[in-house]
Amino acid sequence: MKDFELLDISLYAAEPEPLHVPLRGGDPPETPVLPEGAVLSIGLTFRLGREIDSLVFEDIRAREGRVLAATRTVLGGFRTGGPYEVRLSPERLPVGRAHRGIYELTGRFTDGEGRELAVARHRLRIVRQPAAHKRWAAAPPAPGPAGALS
């Protein structure tokens, strides 16, 4: 068994069913399509052939060849075995015409000594969602008092 075996990466969106991103396959994997402003989190499933202290997951997001964001999350220490399932904190996808399109996603796992254990690459497409700008706009101000207190 390998030191680290990545079993699954899933995107969990605010929908009844989780969106699964395939890791392998003969054909190019399908590019998941999500509406702008959707809230999603990344789920990771892996197995270990040895104990690993300070397992780290790096999430790198690029568009048109430019790196837009890179997040480094220390997942912690894990004993030999598994499978282990970890879900990262949810994030809201950006809203607006400038943010729509195809993104290249790279997930990289390293151990506490910086050795690369696995890399997974995927694509994600953000599309227009009608009235998305209204849904997450600031809430209206609270109504004032009904009358003077005596």
Side-chain angles (χ1 to χ4, degrees), residues 94-110:
V95 175
R97 181 177 299 167
H99 300 289
R100 295 180 205 140
I102 295 182
Y103 290 77
E104 302 291 330
L105 309 174
T106 303
R108 182 173 171 249
F109 293 87
T110 57

Side-chain angles (χ1 to χ4, degrees), residues 111-132:
D111 63 14
E113 297 168 13
R115 288 182 294 227
E116 186 174 277
L117 302 170
V119 174
R121 290 180 176 81
H122 304 285
R123 299 174 80 180
L124 173 71
R125 185 150 130 341
I126 298 177
V127 296
R128 180 177 184 270
Q129 178 176 358

Side-chain angles (χ1 to χ4, degrees), residues 69-82:
T71 306
R72 186 173 190 265
T73 305
V74 177
L75 302 176
F78 295 88
R79 293 185 292 213
T80 303

Side-chain angles (χ1 to χ4, degrees), residues 30-103:
E30 186 176 319
T31 301
V33 176
L34 290 170
E36 61 188 341
V39 176
L40 57 95
S41 64
I42 298 172
L44 308 168
T45 306
F46 54 90
R47 188 180 343 220
L48 300 176
R50 67 174 171 91
E51 185 173 310
I52 296 179
D53 289 326
S54 301
L55 180 62
V56 175
F57 177 71
E58 293 176 88
D59 175 24
I60 302 162
R61 299 171 196 177
R63 185 164 177 223
E64 298 175 358
R66 275 185 51 212
V67 173
L68 302 175
T71 306
R72 186 173 190 265
T73 305
V74 177
L75 302 176
F78 295 88
R79 293 185 292 213
T80 303
Y84 294 101
E85 294 182 32
V86 176
R87 191 177 291 191
L88 303 180
S89 299
E91 295 181 50
R92 184 176 304 282
L93 292 177
V95 175
R97 181 177 299 167
H99 300 289
R100 295 180 205 140
I102 295 182
Y103 290 77

